[in-house]
Each structure stands twice: as C-alpha cells, then as structure tokens.
Amino acid sequence: MKKTIVSLEGVSFKYESQERFALKDVNIRIYEGEWLAIVGHNGSGKSTMAKLLNGLQFAQNGEISVCGIKLNEESVWDVRERLGMVFQNPDNQFVGTTVQDDVAFGLENHGVSRDEMVFRVEDSLKKVKMDHFLNQEPHHLSGGQKQRVAIASVLALRPSIIILDEATSMLDPRGREEVLDIVRDLKEEESLTVISITHDLEEAAKADRLIVMNQGEVYREGTPEEIFSMDEELVQLGLDIPFSVKMAKAFRQKGMNFTKHYLSEEELVNELWTSHFNK
Ligand SMILES: Nc1ncnc2c1ncn2[C@@H]1O[C@H](COP(=O)(O)OP(=O)(O)OP(=O)(O)O)[C@@H](O)[C@H]1O
Ligand SMILES: [Mg+2]
C-alpha cells in the first residue's frame, strides 16, 4: 500500500495583484519515497504550488497536509522541518558568510542545540560531499557546489521531503548531473520523498511519476511512459518531447517497430541493437 505523505485537496490560490487564479482546484497525493516530477509551461503554477507546500503563501481555498500535519500559519515551522526547498538561483539562497554558517543558520531558526548543530552541519555537508569547504565563502563556489550547500542546509533539518524548484536549471550539464546524482543517492539513503519541478524532460523521464500542470490545473498524472505517450499533445501544452521519444518516432516513420510506445534512451539503444542492427 502506498502511503500518502503530502496531499492537496481542492487547493486554489490567487496572487493579490492578479485577476486569474495561479492554481485552480488542485487535488494531488504524493506518496512516501517516490520521485515525483512536476512539469508544465511557464506560468502554469508549479512554483506557486511549491510556495504553498512550504507555507511561503497560503491557499485561499482547500487544504494541504504534510506528514499528517494540516498546514496553516501555526504549523508552518513544523511543516518546514519536514519539507525543505531548494530554489533555482544558487546565489539567492545564501545567508551565511561561510559554508558552515550558512548551513547552521537554518538550524538556529529551529532552536537546535549548539553541539547538535556542529554535528549536523558537518554531517549534512559530508552527505553532499562539501565537507572540505566548511570555511569557504559561498560566493566563491561553483553553481553546482552552491546548490549542494543549499541541499545540505535542507538536509540538516532532517526532512522527509525535498522540493527542487528548477534547482539544476542554472547549472552546466556536469553540475546538473552532480546535483541530481547526489539527490538520487540521498533519496535512497535517507528515504526521502523528492518533488522535482523541472523543464528538463530527460530528468523527468527518470522520475517514478509525473504531474503535468496546465494553466494552474493538474492536466494529467502518470508514469513517464504514460505521459510521454502523449506526444504532440505535450507540445500543445508548451512542453518538449524527450530525445528518445523523438528518435523512436523518426525510426517508426522509417518503418521500424518497437516493443512499446515509450522507450527511455537506454531502452531505445538496446532495442536498436538487438532487433534492428543485429540481424
Ligand atoms: N509574486 C507574484 N505576484 C503576482 N503574480 C505572480 C507571482 N508569482 C507568480 N505569479 C503569477 O502566477 C502564475 C503562476 O506562476 P508560477 O511562478 O507558479 O509558474 P511556474 O509554473 O513556476 O512558471 P515557470 O516555469 O516560469 O517557473 C503566473 O501567471 C505568474 O505570472
Ligand atoms: Mg517556476
């Protein structure tokens, strides 16, 4: 039985300055231990959803609960201990003058004792392989290293859930892989639930499940296979199609057949070798 760790029920939200709702009657369940990717066109409400989950904004309608806690102004700090967020811009997330101060800052806010703080700062920096940089100034780090420190700051609070809101989009391909690999390892080691908001469809293709947002509403939920079978419909929703899906389509037009409709890059390569090139 899958256990629900986060739920949104009938959630609607409108920014004061806007006429339209940024989120409209959103109903979502997120399960313990899954990697959920949220995709959707610019302005479809993804970041707004992340802000609501972390209590940076409060919904006008509906109910959100995180680890069994109903989110409201009183419970927001309890929720933030369980659900941490990493944002897009590595430069906007630093408050400390050194890497260790930065990670310690969040703990101070949560009233963690001094000894426990020293332990957790080092422990979480070790987990993201940044423990050699304790006394470095954050702005001297590379983008990928900055995001790893941001992840350490989140980990230090021992959360159950981590939300990455385009957290790798400003990094080069190597930095991006570095950060994603670390999150994948942490997910296993710390039994984290990962919610990844991303425009990177290759990354989304590796998720357990995807949610497609469209104009503030949940358009479709499904496995990568189910979502990427939507093909042209995705393009109409302002999304791209993963490379392997485009390739498979081009091969099909040349008369090749595959065992299933959606193939990951690895599966496509395997099928090409075993059933097409190896004859
Ligand atoms: N601080 C704000 N004040 C007013 N309107 C906002 C604010 N932030 C977002 N919006 C509006 O709310 C809607 C949803 O925006 P949101 O940032 O959640 O989209 P998104 O899916 O994260 O987009 P992107 O892919 O570009 O990051 C948009 O119409 C946007 O213009
Ligand atoms: Mg956004």
Side-chain angles (χ1 to χ4, degrees):
M1 243 321 251
K2 289 188 284 188
K3 196 174 154 211
T4 301
I5 191 161
V6 174
S7 69
L8 290 90
E9 278 172 36
V11 170
S12 296
F13 177 82
K14 191 174 91 62
Y15 290 96
E16 245 172 58
S17 58
Q18 301 281 348
E19 298 227 324
R20 287 179 38 167
F21 275 80
L23 288 177
K24 280 174 273 183
D25 191 23
V26 170
N27 293 286
I28 292 177
R29 277 174 187 280
I30 299 168
Y31 303 107
E32 195 171 60
E34 73 172 333
W35 184 301
L36 174 74
I38 302 180
V39 299
H41 62 81
N42 292 124
S44 57
K46 306 179 298 294
S47 294
T48 302
M49 198 194 307
K51 286 184 221 160
L52 291 180
L53 286 173
N54 205 25
L56 291 170
Q57 299 277 7
F58 290 95
Q60 281 99 359
N61 291 307
E63 205 172 290
I64 295 178
S65 82
V66 176
C67 298
I69 304 170
K70 191 177 154 192
L71 178 60
N72 54 38
E73 280 167 44
E74 279 84 60
S75 66
V76 64
W77 289 99
D78 290 335
V79 165
R80 284 186 194 159
E81 265 180 44
R82 289 161 179 85
L83 179 146
M85 241 167 100
V86 182
F87 298 93
Q88 177 172 34
N89 190 338
D91 292 317
N92 289 348
Q93 336 207 16
F94 289 103
V95 280
T97 50
T98 65
V99 164
Q100 61 179 343
D101 282 356
D102 196 74
V103 178
F105 182 80
L107 294 175
E108 261 168 14
N109 274 348
H110 285 266
V112 174
S113 75
R114 174 97 206 145
D115 286 351
E116 175 68 13
M117 203 148 87
V118 172
F119 171 77
R120 285 207 206 176
V121 166
E122 238 190 280
D123 182 55
S124 41
L125 284 167
K126 226 178 242 158
K127 284 177 180 151
V128 298
K129 303 187 179 75
M130 286 299 289
D131 48 322
H132 300 301
F133 296 84
L134 287 175
N135 293 309
Q136 280 259 2
E137 290 177 38
H139 61 266
H140 288 160
L141 304 174
S142 74
Q145 289 171 333
K146 284 176 187 165
Q147 289 304 61
R148 277 150 63 190
V149 173
I151 292 168
S153 300
V154 166
L155 283 182
L157 289 169
R158 308 271 159 83
S160 306
I161 306 145
I162 181 166
I163 304 186
L164 308 172
D165 187 358
E166 311 274 357
T168 61
S169 63
M170 293 178 79
L171 307 180
D172 60 24
R174 198 172 134 203
R176 185 173 305 160
E177 265 325 293
E178 230 172 60
V179 170
L180 287 174
D181 281 347
I182 282 186
V183 179
R184 284 188 194 109
D185 288 348
L186 288 170
K187 176 180 176 294
E188 296 312 315
E189 286 157 21
E190 317 281 311
S191 344
L192 283 175
T193 302
V194 178
I195 304 171
S196 172
I197 297 171
T198 183
H199 282 279
D200 178 356
L201 293 187
E202 311 301 329
E203 186 215 315
K206 292 185 187 151
D208 298 315
R209 208 159 60 94
L210 265 79
I211 287 181
V212 182
M213 297 296 296
N214 184 48
Q215 298 186 15
E217 294 178 85
V218 174
Y219 184 85
R220 186 83 51 96
E221 288 181 45
T223 60
E225 177 163 4
E226 288 161 349
I227 298 298
F228 294 128
S229 299
M230 288 160 65
D231 275 2
E232 290 305 314
E233 205 178 335
L234 287 175
V235 178
Q236 280 159 22
L237 293 168
L239 292 165
D240 199 6
I241 297 174
F243 177 72
S244 65
V245 176
K246 283 185 199 156
M247 282 298 285
K249 197 172 172 184
F251 282 123
R252 272 190 207 100
Q253 282 164 356
K254 299 257 174 228
M256 287 184 185
N257 285 312
F258 299 102
T259 51
K260 40 181 206 172
H261 188 80
Y262 166 75
L263 300 148
S264 67
E265 240 170 271
E266 207 180 349
E267 288 168 331
L268 177 64
V269 170
N270 282 340
E271 287 225 6
L272 287 172
W273 273 113
T274 53
S275 53
H276 295 287
F277 295 154
N278 221 6
K279 278 182 183 155

